[in-house]
Amino acid sequence: MGKHLIIANWKMNLTIHEGSLLVHKLSELTQNHRTVDVVLAPGFLNLQSLNLQIDHSKFKLCAQNFYWRDAGAFTGEVSANQLRGLVSYALVGHSERRHIFGEAGREIGRKVQAAIRHDIKPVLCVGETAMERGDGETNDVLHDQLVAGLANVTSDDMKHVIIAYEPVWAIGSGNSATPDDVEKASAMIRRQIQHMFGAQVARDVQVLYGGSVSMDNARGYLDTKGVNGLLIGGASLHADQFASIIKTAHQSLSGKK
Ligand code: PEP
């Protein structure tokens, strides 16, 4: 059984000072669990100072976004090339990027490739909207997002790719998916990955769940077959809640199916 991966997505929250304070509290509240990889995705401005502040054996850093080209006249953008060495992971295709900023399949695929090119593990976020779910299109949406997001990725590259199942209707809504929903989605994701890259890759790929995860419901997902960790927004902004989820992740591995 591999480790659990727990990612905190701070989104556009916290000043540099507040972020530093949160990590300070979190460090005090968490032990270094060999069974859990804890990853922080603060805003860009926090990355450099947190890189100096964190105990790297305890926390890794993640970018929330980046542009797929390496350099050039792209005002306001940050490239994977610039993030190289600073972050270990990067979110790609988060639903807020897809739905607020209009990111689409081809661009998301290019970002996955750019991250891999620069030794950054892409966390490819996929998930259906409430309407798509209502229309019974969840599997089609996951299929299309995986095909576009993983275009031109090799089986070997897949060692570095993480998939996060994040149903859009569950993000920030307090309306989380059931562990049963998540087990089905994870199985669908692995079937599609098997189709694209073979059975071994499908077995090995880490699949996370995200969408209104809290201290109270985290264990249910962590104990779910086919789930290797969590992507957490709101609850990651509170040191006590996030620390409790990390502890839960550590405890859940012993009883994992
Ligand atoms: C997210 O930001 O990816 C997320 C899942 O947010 P929340 O936990 O607040 O639903």
Side-chain angles (χ1 to χ4, degrees):
M1 176 62 59
K3 290 179 172 191
H4 278 319
L5 175 60
I6 308 290
I7 306 180
N9 178 14
W10 293 1
K11 313 196 188 200
M12 199 176 71
N13 293 300
L14 307 181
T15 61
I16 295 176
H17 179 65
E18 288 164 345
S20 169
L21 217 57
L22 176 61
V23 171
H24 180 71
K25 283 191 203 154
L26 199 58
S27 302
E28 287 188 337
L29 291 171
T30 50
Q31 288 172 23
N32 194 344
H33 295 299
R34 275 179 296 113
T35 51
V36 188
D37 284 325
V38 182
V39 175
L40 306 173
F44 281 126
L45 291 175
N46 296 70
L47 283 173
Q48 268 201 304
S49 55
L50 289 186
N51 187 40
L52 298 174
Q53 181 183 340
I54 57 173
D55 171 351
H56 287 262
S57 67
K58 207 168 187 181
F59 304 111
K60 299 273 182 282
L61 292 175
C62 176
Q64 294 178 19
N65 181 41
F66 60 92
Y67 189 49
W68 58 272
R69 287 195 191 266
D70 285 354
F74 304 104
T75 303
E77 294 297 318
V78 172
S79 70
N81 183 39
Q82 292 171 313
L83 290 165
R84 186 186 194 120
L86 183 57
V87 299
S88 308
Y89 297 81
L91 304 184
V92 179
H94 188 280
S95 80
E96 287 148 20
R97 301 295 321 167
R98 291 179 192 263
H99 295 286
I100 303 174
F101 299 100
E103 282 185 18
R106 193 148 172 247
E107 184 176 5
I108 290 170
R110 284 173 159 161
K111 287 187 175 199
V112 168
Q113 291 161 48
I116 293 167
R117 206 164 58 238
H118 291 290
D119 292 329
I120 296 170
K121 294 185 168 79
V123 181
L124 174 63
C125 303
V126 296
E128 79 286 1
T129 63
M131 192 184 284
E132 288 161 344
R133 176 180 164 86
D135 290 344
E137 292 173 355
T138 299
N139 284 357
D140 293 336
V141 171
L142 295 180
H143 168 273
D144 293 352
Q145 291 179 345
L146 289 167
V147 167
L150 301 175
N152 301 317
V153 169
T154 67
S155 300
D156 208 39
D157 292 337
M158 282 300 291
K159 287 185 196 127
H160 310 292
V161 175
I162 292 122
I163 309 293
Y165 172 58
E166 294 217 305
V168 181
W169 48 272
I171 297 177
S173 65
N175 184 20
S176 52
T178 65
D180 193 47
D181 286 334
V182 177
E183 186 172 341
K184 285 190 184 118
S186 167
M188 161 60 202
I189 288 166
R190 288 181 198 277
R191 270 200 304 279
Q192 180 55 32
I193 289 183
Q194 175 164 354
H195 185 69
M196 295 170 78
F197 302 103
Q200 186 65 45
V201 175
R203 264 196 302 278
D204 291 348
V205 69
Q206 285 184 295
V207 177
L208 313 183
Y209 168 68
S212 296
V213 173
S214 68
M215 287 169 21
D216 301 323
N217 65 18
R219 181 73 191 243
Y221 304 115
L222 291 163
D223 287 350
T224 294
K225 189 166 173 242
V227 175
N228 306 101
L230 302 166
L231 176 49
I232 302 169
S236 74
L237 296 172
H238 306 277
D240 53 341
Q241 294 180 27
F242 192 60
S244 161
I245 294 171
I246 294 167
K247 196 168 167 201
T248 301
H250 173 61
Q251 289 165 346
S252 95
L253 266 187
S254 48
K256 186 99 180 178
K257 284 166 245 165

